[in-house]
Amino acid sequence: MTNDANSPDEFKKLNESEQQALIDWCYRISKIKTINRNHSSYGLKHIFENSKDGFYITNGAFKGAMLECGFDYKPDSPSSPNWNFNVSEKTIKELKN
């Protein structure tokens, strides 16, 4: 059985304003053609949480938001609950500041 906190369905449990804030933040990330293995969903969720408009979210809620925004993904590893996305390294660095 998988941990619910890692399910993309967690996104639907956020209230409407939380969903919108998270979606708006995810749309600030530029898409690239290949999967960026430098940042997992878990690491990216922490960047969001530490951002100006951020708040606590589960790994699953972040994954669900990224799917809503049309990002491609691959599991970090077969046994990992974390995903990697086609995110721009440059954008991630900008969002960290």
Side-chain angles (χ1 to χ4, degrees):
M1 186 166 139
T2 60
N3 182 345
D4 283 345
N6 290 304
S7 169
D9 290 337
E10 285 284 299
F11 176 73
K12 296 173 189 156
K13 295 180 182 176
L14 300 175
N15 69 43
E16 197 172 318
S17 65
E18 289 172 330
Q19 286 182 8
Q20 193 59 54
L22 180 52
I23 290 285
D24 289 347
W25 189 86
C26 292
Y27 272 130
R28 293 173 59 196
I29 303 171
S30 298
K31 293 180 179 114
I32 59 174
K33 290 180 181 174
T34 58
I35 299 296
N36 181 340
R37 296 231 174 241
N38 294 329
H39 304 282
S40 70
S41 52
Y42 189 75
L44 291 169
K45 98 173 187 86
H46 282 290
I47 296 171
F48 167 75
E49 289 172 347
N50 293 320
S51 69
K52 181 174 73 74
D53 298 318
F55 49 88
Y56 174 80
I57 56 169
T58 62
N59 189 35
F62 186 81
K63 288 164 36 174
M66 292 293 276
L67 291 178
E68 290 280 325
C69 291
F71 282 88
D72 296 331
Y73 74 93
K74 287 201 163 100
D76 198 28
S77 72
S79 60
S80 174
N82 301 323
W83 291 356
N84 296 111
F85 300 95
N86 57 322
V87 297
S88 157
E89 190 68 29
K90 181 180 178 194
T91 308
I92 299 303
K93 286 180 181 167
E94 290 169 357
L95 289 172
K96 283 182 173 181
N97 294 331

